[in-house]
Amino acid sequence: MFIYVLVAMLAAIVTYGATGLVRAFAVRLGLVSPVRERDVHTRSVPRLGGLAMLVGFAAAFWAASQTVWIRTIFETPQTWAVLAGAAVIVVVGVIDDIVDLNSWVKLLGQLVAAGIVAVWGPRVTFLPLGLLQVNDVWLQIGLTMFLIVLTVNAINFVDGLDGLAAGVAAIGGFAFFLTAYWVHRNAFLPDYTDLSTLLMALLVGICLGFLPHNVHPARIFMGDSGSMLLGLVMATGAVVATGQIASGLYDRAEGIPTFVPVVLPIVVMLLPFLDLVLAVLRRTASGRSPFSPDREHVHHKLLDLGYTHRQAVAVMYVWAAFVAFGGVAYAFIPWLPLTIANLIVLPTVGFITMHPWVREKGVTVRREWLRTSPWVPRFTLPFAGCVAAATILGFTGLATGGVPLLYSTFLALAVVSVCAGTGVVILHIAAPSLPFRRRTLVADVLMKLAASAIVLLAVGSPSWSDRGWYWSSLAVCGVVWIATQAAVVILQWRARVASAI
């Protein structure tokens, strides 16, 4: 699993950096999203975020092809067809973000991208109708294209609030990733590498890398280029999973139901699919095109109920998590008690969503506990820097010493994050109004040293890790954290001085 996580970290880092560059490029060329009647945002925001997501996806995709163990996935040309299809659908999305293509022209572009994956990549070989096998090649291609286009438009329809599409896709992709990995890990296979698991890791990575730029108020939109990329990757992962039924994989995975690969993509993307079906029915019933935009999506209904922008997104996240993990849990938990639990939990969550108390108290909680704090960058930026350093160290360790050095790197990252992060949190709670001067940084560093000594005594150096590499990684991550936090403190102190003048 650690190698999948490492690839996801690389995708997140590259996407995060590329998004800043794409945003600057879009602003310079005036490629911004105008404020339309159906939109929630009230100012022009740059588009083309999907271009940055493709860069992160492609970079991590190539790195995975060169990485020990998972590079066996790339021995077949079918894997590279996924990257080709992703590139085509992003190009179509970028053109649409710039010139606003006709809906039927955009659909044609989606069919071309889906056709590339279906013809040269993985295909649907089984149907959920009694696990009916599909033998005809053209029928396989047609079903694969239909599933990809359906998922692409489902994600596209749910992309209406800042951070909504990326967050929902990340939650669904994470649930998909855990299930796919667990199934392959417990099937007693000599090689449990899997393309669907890799695709879900990449999906989660590019979503997490893009979200810091896209949370409300968004600094850039993913546009159709980003939402269609997420849909294609999710659908392709589902196609790969359904094609593994014939191999007997799920029969060897200690009681995993055979229908799991068929149901899995449906439950993790149930909210986008539901929104898509309702939108098509609503528009066709009123005599409009099913692709005609409106302001009647589920997230719009939450805003109409009185939820704020962030509250509506949070509610959608909660629903996506309950539905996705409540669905994939059937792969691990007996169906009867799990069904009873879902029948109790899901209606309860629905009732709480509709109750006005949540909206009224949610505003208070957001103002009191989730307000923007100068301490937030003192935690998030150093952590991001350590993740970047651990990613570089991880790939270096894989190239020089194999998987054991990767374990050591992740252990070092965990130790530094726990020690340094605990120091920041404790200092924030103990002295929230303490001015950002040198004594603040000194006190924080002393707390980190004390916490580090305690954790290091408890953790030590496990037998499976290389002691020299572990301590080197620990030193690098620690230096990166302290250096990054010192830079943040200096910038904050200068800003306070400038505002005082």
Side-chain angles (χ1 to χ4, degrees):
M1 176 179 286
F2 285 104
I3 296 183
Y4 288 126
V5 174
L6 184 67
V7 172
M9 289 165 56
L10 179 62
I13 292 169
V14 176
T15 301
Y16 179 83
T19 302
L21 297 176
V22 170
R23 179 180 179 274
F25 173 77
V27 170
R28 179 178 292 274
L29 296 183
L31 303 176
V32 297
S33 180
V35 180
R36 299 163 295 190
E37 183 179 354
R38 70 177 188 272
D39 289 332
V40 176
H41 63 279
T42 57
R43 58 187 177 85
S44 298
V45 180
R47 295 183 177 183
L48 304 184
L51 190 59
M53 299 172 78
L54 176 64
V55 173
F57 180 83
F61 197 85
W62 176 84
S65 70
Q66 307 299 314
T67 302
V68 62
W69 189 63
I70 57 175
R71 62 188 173 200
T72 56
I73 299 174
F74 296 84
E75 293 177 353
T76 169
Q78 289 185 338
T79 305
W80 293 100
V82 179
L83 181 59
V88 170
I89 207 165
V90 169
V91 169
V92 174
V94 167
I95 297 174
D96 180 57
D97 290 335
I98 295 176
V99 301
D100 197 10
L101 291 173
N102 179 276
S103 57
W104 295 106
V105 176
K106 184 166 64 173
L107 177 61
L108 178 62
Q110 295 172 358
L111 290 172
V112 171
I116 292 175
V117 176
V119 173
W120 291 287
R123 302 171 188 162
V124 172
T125 56
F126 275 84
L127 292 177
L129 305 174
L131 300 179
L132 180 64
Q133 187 170 0
V134 180
N135 296 316
D136 185 76
V137 174
W138 289 107
L139 184 57
Q140 293 177 356
I141 294 175
L143 291 173
T144 303
M145 293 176 62
F146 173 77
L147 178 60
I148 291 176
V149 172
L150 179 68
T151 310
V152 161
N153 285 284
I155 297 290
N156 194 14
F157 278 28
V158 83
D159 183 25
L161 297 179
D162 297 347
L164 180 57
V168 170
I171 293 170
F174 184 60
F176 200 150
F177 168 80
L178 290 179
T179 307
Y181 176 80
W182 193 91
V183 167
H184 284 79
R185 191 67 178 86
N186 289 272
F188 302 104
L189 300 173
D191 180 9
Y192 52 88
T193 57
D194 172 46
L195 177 58
S196 62
T197 308
L198 175 63
L199 290 177
M200 292 306 104
L202 293 173
L203 176 71
V204 174
I206 61 177
C207 288
L208 294 181
F210 182 72
L211 268 175
H213 298 273
N214 191 232
V215 293
H216 183 71
R219 291 178 289 172
I220 186 172
F221 292 152
M222 69 169 63
D224 285 355
S225 56
S227 61
M228 293 195 300
L229 171 64
L230 297 181
L232 182 137
V233 175
M234 179 67 74
T236 305
V239 169
V240 175
T242 56
Q244 293 166 345
I245 299 177
S247 65
L249 171 66
Y250 289 82
D251 297 332
R252 296 194 296 271
E254 295 189 341
I256 298 298
T258 310
F259 62 80
V260 164
V262 178
V263 177
L264 188 60
I266 298 176
V267 296
V268 300
M269 296 302 296
L270 182 60
L271 286 183
F273 283 146
L274 178 62
D275 196 21
L276 172 65
V277 172
L278 292 177
V280 171
L281 293 176
R282 180 177 63 247
R283 294 167 185 175
T284 53
S286 60
R288 295 180 295 153
S289 167
F291 298 102
S292 61
D294 58 22
R295 200 182 183 279
E296 299 293 331
H297 292 285
V298 175
H299 49 271
H300 292 136
K301 296 297 184 182
L302 291 175
L303 294 176
D304 294 339
L305 284 173
Y307 283 100
T308 64
H309 194 119
R310 290 188 178 184
Q311 286 176 337
V313 173
V315 168
M316 293 290 287
Y317 284 178
V318 171
W319 268 102
F322 271 107
V323 173
F325 288 97
V328 301
Y330 283 98
F332 315 101
I333 303 174
W335 70 271
L336 182 58
L338 181 59
T339 302
I340 295 175
N342 283 332
L343 291 176
I344 296 174
V345 171
L346 294 179
T348 303
V349 175
F351 173 77
I352 294 175
T353 301
M354 302 301 294
H355 200 283
W357 180 88
V358 178
R359 301 189 291 275
E360 296 169 0
K361 297 299 181 181
V363 175
T364 303
V365 170
R366 181 176 62 86
R367 289 174 179 172
E368 292 181 356
W369 296 99
L370 301 181
R371 65 184 185 275
T372 302
S373 169
W375 290 88
V376 172
R378 293 189 63 183
F379 175 82
T380 56
L381 294 181
F383 177 74
C386 283
V387 169
T391 302
I392 298 174
L393 289 169
F395 279 106
T396 304
L398 282 175
T400 57
V403 176
L405 299 190
L406 180 61
Y407 294 155
S408 301
T409 302
F410 275 103
L411 178 62
L413 173 62
V415 170
V416 170
S417 300
V418 170
C419 296
T422 302
V424 174
V425 172
I426 291 176
L427 191 59
H428 172 49
I429 296 175
S433 60
L434 194 66
F436 294 98
R437 297 178 181 173
R438 284 177 292 179
R439 67 173 182 270
T440 308
L441 181 61
V442 171
D444 200 3
V445 171
L446 291 176
M447 294 176 66
K448 286 179 174 60
L449 292 176
S452 299
I454 295 172
V455 174
L456 289 176
L457 288 175
V459 175
S461 181
S463 58
W464 42 257
S465 67
D466 181 88
R467 188 175 183 85
W469 184 262
Y470 166 69
W471 289 105
S472 299
S473 302
L474 193 67
V476 170
C477 290
V479 169
V480 168
W481 184 292
I482 294 177
T484 307
Q485 186 166 302
V488 173
V489 171
I490 292 173
L491 291 175
Q492 291 177 340
W493 178 74
R494 287 183 176 179
R496 290 171 64 91
V497 171
S499 61
I501 297 176

